[in-house]
């Protein structure tokens, strides 16, 4: 990926643009530990940013007895059965893609399947700060996670970090991680980690990175999966996005959320309306008709139901 390929239509961000200086000490005097442990902590801090977890942490969990439909889909089971592959979860705005991504990530997290070694995730948001909607934020977050969870991949990142510190001088650093360097380090780290365990990457709301960046990141993940296939490594990628901008899927598997979430929407409406007691069979029948009508009007958009239900409860 070249130095301009990550540019975002939304933000105008390009490779090399800074998002504030990193000013931690290389070896902080107030930390106890070996020099290597201190360096590792410095690296984690240099990759992290304050809003890194905000979007993921603010997504409400799925409503009771919803989202489970995806586990039985042939497309999902096909992706899960592959050692390597890319799954696209597409849908209208407000269809519940982010909630579904959290459900899948958490489902794998509590799975007893031993082959699931490391799960990485990043949730784009166009409403957040610049770094929350640009590839730079995604790369820093994913590299932070894999560096923290797999000690065996740290040596190359340590060497790169130390080389940068020597170039710019120790003490308080004023340099940024270049985006191209982060891309190369993340690719190497994922491939190296996959030599020993299964790696699954979740990226939510790719479209919110902007059309150009979304296209380029799609290409990045396709190439990553292709390399995994050639090396016979276990790397799976799951990406959610809207239907537009149109992103080339290649050989990836695709699931359209609004084609499958009607029952979930009906369940949500039914549960909300049952808070109002139906005193006789006539009112019960009217409520059933209302559930059906609202489900049809929602047309696969969960967010519409969230807005409408409080108005009629």
């Amino acid at each position: 990926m070249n130095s301009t390929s990550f540019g975002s239509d939304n933000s105008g961000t390009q490779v090399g643009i800074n998002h504030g200086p990193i000013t931690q000490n290389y070896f902080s005097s107030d930390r106890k530990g070996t020099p290597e442990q201190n360096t590792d902590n410095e690296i984690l801090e240099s990759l992290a940013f304050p809003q890194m977890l905000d979007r993921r942490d603010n997504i409400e969990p799925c409503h009771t007895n919803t989202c489970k439909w995806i586990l039985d889909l042939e497309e999902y089971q096909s992706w899960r059965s592959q050692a390597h592959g890319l799954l696209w979860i597409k849908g209208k705005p407000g269809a519940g893609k982010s909630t579904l991504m959290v459900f899948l990530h958490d489902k794998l997290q509590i799975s007893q399947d031993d082959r699931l070694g490391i799960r990485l995730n990043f949730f784009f948001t166009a409403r957040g700060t610049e770094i929350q909607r640009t590839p730079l934020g995604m790369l820093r977050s994913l590299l932070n996670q894999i560096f923290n969870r797999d000690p065996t991949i740290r040596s190359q990142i340590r060497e790169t970090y130390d080389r940068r510190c020597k170039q710019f001088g120790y003490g308080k650093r004023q340099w940024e991680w270049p985006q191209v360097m982060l891309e190369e380090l993340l690719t190497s780290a994922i491939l190296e980690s996959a030599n020993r365990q299964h790696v699954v990457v979740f990226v939510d709301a790719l479209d919110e990175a902007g059309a150009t960046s979304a296209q380029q990141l799609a290409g990045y993940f396709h190439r990553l999966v292709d390399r995994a296939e050639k090396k016979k490594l276990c790397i799976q990628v799951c990406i959610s996005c809207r239907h537009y901008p149109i992103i080339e899927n290649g050989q990836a598997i695709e699931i359209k959320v609004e084609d499958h979430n009607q029952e979930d929407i009906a369940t949500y409406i039914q549960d909300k309306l049952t808070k109002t007691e139906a005193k006789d069979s006539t009112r019960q029948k009217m409520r059933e008709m209302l559930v059906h009508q609202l489900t049809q009007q929602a047309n696969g958009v969960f967010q519409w139901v969230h807005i409408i239900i409080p108005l009629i409860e």
Side-chain angles (χ1 to χ4, degrees):
M1 199 174 298
N2 60 42
S3 62
T4 60
S5 63
F6 274 126
S8 168
D9 288 352
N10 289 345
S11 64
T13 299
Q14 295 181 349
V15 170
I17 288 183
N18 292 338
H19 292 267
I22 303 170
T23 58
Q24 296 90 347
N25 289 324
Y26 182 62
F27 292 130
S28 298
S29 59
D30 59 342
R31 291 198 181 117
K32 296 180 180 180
T34 66
E36 186 175 86
Q37 289 171 334
N38 288 336
T39 300
D40 287 352
N41 194 60
E42 294 281 347
I43 292 171
L44 287 172
E45 289 184 4
S46 72
L47 293 169
F49 51 93
Q51 309 85 6
M52 189 168 68
L53 305 177
D54 284 2
R55 174 57 181 156
R56 166 66 177 83
D57 290 346
N58 283 290
I59 297 173
E60 294 185 7
C62 63
H63 187 71
T64 304
N65 294 323
T66 63
C67 291
K68 296 179 181 179
W69 55 265
I70 194 171
L71 303 178
D72 297 323
L73 279 188
E74 180 181 348
E75 294 88 345
Y76 176 76
Q77 292 181 352
S78 175
W79 175 72
R80 285 285 292 113
S81 66
Q82 299 173 4
H84 39 260
L86 202 159
L87 172 66
W88 285 91
I89 295 180
K90 292 191 172 185
K92 301 175 181 178
K97 300 181 296 296
S98 295
T99 300
L100 192 60
M101 290 288 279
V102 172
F103 171 80
L104 289 177
H105 178 273
D106 292 350
K107 187 71 176 177
L108 293 186
Q109 192 170 28
I110 62 175
S111 172
Q112 298 301 311
D113 191 342
D114 292 336
R115 74 192 183 98
L116 292 172
I118 289 184
R119 289 157 302 282
L120 311 175
N121 69 83
F122 186 74
F123 288 70
F124 281 99
T125 173
R127 296 185 297 274
T129 60
E130 184 177 7
I131 199 168
Q132 290 177 280
R133 60 178 181 266
T134 58
L136 178 63
M138 184 204 75
L139 292 167
R140 282 174 56 171
S141 177
L142 295 181
L143 192 58
N144 173 284
Q145 292 170 55
I146 197 168
F147 185 88
N148 186 41
R149 297 171 191 173
D150 187 355
T152 66
I153 57 88
R154 293 176 182 171
S155 59
Q156 181 183 359
I157 301 172
R158 287 191 194 114
E159 291 172 4
T160 303
Y161 178 82
D162 189 58
R163 186 165 58 250
R164 297 283 291 180
C165 287
K166 288 178 179 177
Q167 290 172 335
F168 287 88
Y170 293 101
K172 287 190 175 182
R173 291 181 290 107
Q174 299 296 327
W175 57 270
E176 280 289 334
W177 286 101
Q179 198 157 297
V180 171
M181 182 180 291
L182 288 172
E183 179 194 344
E184 294 171 352
L185 288 173
L186 179 62
T187 299
S188 297
I190 291 176
L191 292 172
E192 177 64 24
S193 184
N195 279 315
R196 290 171 293 278
Q197 60 194 329
H198 202 89
V199 179
V200 186
V201 183
F202 291 89
V203 177
D204 180 56
L206 182 63
D207 54 283
E208 297 196 24
T212 301
S213 291
Q215 292 279 0
Q216 296 298 334
L217 286 176
Y220 170 78
F221 284 113
H222 274 291
R223 290 191 295 274
L224 178 64
V225 171
D226 287 344
R227 292 182 66 177
E229 182 178 5
K230 292 176 182 177
K231 293 176 176 288
K232 301 186 184 304
L233 300 176
C234 294
I235 299 174
Q236 292 178 302
V237 180
C238 179
I239 300 175
S240 77
C241 68
R242 298 179 182 182
H243 296 295
Y244 299 97
I246 298 174
I247 298 174
E248 178 59 44
N249 289 355
Q251 299 300 315
I253 299 171
E254 180 177 315
I255 295 173
K256 294 182 180 179
V257 177
E258 60 266 24
D259 289 348
H260 305 280
N261 67 353
Q262 299 293 314
E263 187 173 338
D264 281 3
I265 291 175
T267 297
Y268 176 81
I269 297 171
Q270 178 69 35
D271 289 350
K272 290 297 182 180
L273 292 183
T274 51
K275 293 179 180 179
T276 303
E277 183 180 359
K279 297 181 179 180
D280 52 48
S281 59
T282 301
R283 291 191 178 185
Q284 175 65 28
K285 184 67 174 179
M286 291 177 62
R287 187 164 61 192
E288 292 174 358
M289 293 175 60
L290 181 59
V291 170
H292 176 74
Q293 181 181 5
L294 291 176
T295 301
Q296 294 300 311
Q297 289 179 333
N299 197 24
V301 180
F302 237 114
Q303 189 63 39
W304 181 83
V305 177
H306 277 282
I307 296 172
I308 292 297
I309 288 296
L311 302 179
I312 61 177
E313 280 185 301

